[in-house]
Amino acid sequence: MTASPLLQAPGAVPGEGIDAGVAAHYGDPMREQRLLAEGLGVVDLSHRGVVTVTGPDRLSWLHSLTSQQLADLPPRTSAESLVLTPKGHVEHALHVVDDGGTTWVTVEPGTAPALAAWLDSMRFMLRVEVADVSDAYAVLGETVDREGGEGEPPTWVDPWPRLVGDSALYGPVVEEHPGRERRWREVIVPVGDVAAAVGDRELVGTWAAEALRIAAWRPRHGAETDHRTIAHELDWLRTAVHLHKGCYRGQETIARVHNLGRPPRRLAFLHLDGSGHTLPDVGAEVLLGDKVVGRLTSVARHHDDGPIALAVLKRNTDDAADLLVAPDIAAAQTPIVPR
């Protein structure tokens, strides 16, 4: 992955793992986090993939392949949709916005080639064209909840945690959700225009953005997901799944679990003991006594709440029990998806 030109900014410290290629921070993560929470910073997300779909059949075609209602998506209106495997596991998470002539999709770093190849294989005789334009476009993250207007760059506004369309909640209602006041959008700009798009605003690293995401219980593909993940486990139906649209790949699992059962795992929010001054590794085992009951999926140090994390746990794990993150970090859980 090509490193972002903004890594040349003063104080930039490169990220690692899923966020390699952009800055984790610019020298003061806590200050950056406060700036971002106040709407005063911009996050370099140029490592995200960008895929475009053009042609008159583009929206009805994407509607038929993915989990969200997209057929009648108005211009400059954002949506979130999932590509599922035939067994209903999450394969891609799509941030979708149409500008009236092109549908723009941003996806997690490194996943655009696979998504574009799969979409291209599904075109058949329809009037659509798919392109991976990740090398030509960059993404900037902002704590703003306004859609892009006429003449502005393609802009995706995160719907989380609203209930979008005909869907279902597996976590709290919006009024009681900790992410209810979270604002977030992604602005897609040509790579050569990144510096101008940032302007004189403060650059903020991904550490700050991740801390705010975790505090809002917002799942992220590639972090909270693995090869077995179904959307119900992460309370992802609320923004990304329409329950009564036409058939699409993986729909049977969505309907069966929603109508007849409960997901085998559940997402939980953890407050971590910060007395050791170190954060556990993503992927660390979560223990109840000496029994492994899950894994840590995301971890951050929040400017108000201290060390926090998201974890995917076995469904039957006692939701009132204090847990331990291996090897020895105490964790108090708040259930997101109930048992």
Side-chain angles (χ1 to χ4, degrees):
M1 185 180 300
T2 303
S4 168
L6 295 178
L7 275 175
Q8 304 304 313
V13 175
E16 298 177 348
I18 194 173
D19 287 325
V22 296
H25 63 87
Y26 296 87
D28 193 344
M30 291 298 104
R31 176 179 176 273
E32 292 168 27
Q33 198 177 133
R34 293 186 179 92
L35 286 171
L36 192 62
E38 293 169 5
L40 301 176
V42 59
V43 184
D44 180 14
L45 300 177
S46 57
H47 60 328
R48 284 188 63 83
V50 182
V51 173
T52 58
V53 184
T54 55
D57 296 330
R58 65 189 183 281
L59 288 174
S60 59
W61 177 65
L62 287 170
H63 172 89
S64 72
L65 296 174
T66 69
S67 64
Q68 188 55 276
Q69 173 82 25
L70 299 176
D72 53 358
L73 186 69
R76 291 176 292 282
T77 300
S78 302
E80 181 180 30
S81 195
L82 304 175
V83 173
L84 306 176
T85 70
K87 293 186 177 181
H89 302 137
V90 177
E91 191 166 48
H92 294 282
L94 314 184
H95 298 174
V96 181
V97 65
D98 193 89
D99 64 10
T102 299
T103 301
W104 296 81
V105 179
T106 83
V107 291
E108 289 296 338
T111 65
L115 173 65
W118 179 75
L119 289 175
D120 201 53
S121 74
M122 301 298 291
R123 289 189 303 137
F124 304 114
M125 299 299 292
L126 294 174
R127 298 168 297 171
V128 294
E129 295 293 334
V130 179
D132 177 359
V133 297
S134 304
D135 289 342
Y137 288 89
V139 180
L140 296 174
E142 304 174 344
T143 42
V144 177
D145 60 3
R146 181 179 63 82
E147 301 277 5
E150 187 72 36
E152 294 182 328
T155 301
W156 178 80
V157 176
D158 191 352
W160 187 264
R162 293 187 294 108
L163 182 68
V164 178
D166 190 350
S167 195
L169 303 178
Y170 277 71
V173 297
V174 175
E175 293 75 16
E176 299 173 3
H177 198 287
R180 63 189 178 277
E181 296 181 358
R182 177 177 180 263
R183 300 167 295 156
W184 187 250
R185 73 177 188 177
E186 297 172 358
V187 182
I188 305 169
V189 299
V191 168
D193 295 345
V194 168
V198 171
D200 59 359
R201 291 179 294 171
E202 294 266 5
L203 283 170
V204 171
T206 57
W207 280 7
E210 283 293 277
L212 299 185
R213 177 185 70 83
I214 293 166
W217 300 358
R218 212 303 179 212
R220 180 180 178 185
H221 179 53
E224 277 60 60
T225 63
D226 59 22
H227 68 284
R228 296 184 296 141
T229 300
I230 59 175
H232 318 66
E233 297 174 334
L234 308 181
D235 192 23
W236 220 340
L237 271 70
R238 68 166 67 220
T239 55
V241 177
H242 189 285
L243 287 173
H244 295 97
K245 55 168 281 187
C247 184
Y248 58 92
R249 191 172 75 167
Q251 182 190 30
E252 295 82 359
T253 297
I254 293 288
R256 182 174 64 252
V257 174
H258 177 64
N259 292 325
L260 300 177
R262 293 175 292 174
R265 301 180 297 179
R266 60 179 181 85
L267 188 65
F269 175 76
L270 304 180
H271 275 104
L272 304 176
D273 177 14
S275 60
H277 305 293
T278 58
L279 294 176
D281 293 331
V282 169
E285 293 177 336
V286 179
L287 308 173
L288 177 56
D290 58 0
K291 181 180 179 182
V292 177
V293 295
R295 67 179 180 91
L296 209 64
T297 58
S298 296
V299 61
R301 197 177 299 277
H302 192 270
H303 67 286
D304 284 334
D305 296 336
I308 58 175
L310 294 174
V312 173
L313 308 176
K314 294 179 180 179
R315 186 189 70 208
N316 60 2
T317 303
D318 183 353
D319 56 14
D322 288 334
L323 304 173
L324 195 69
V325 176
D328 59 359
I329 298 176
Q333 64 164 312
T334 301
I336 297 176
V337 175
R339 295 173 62 187

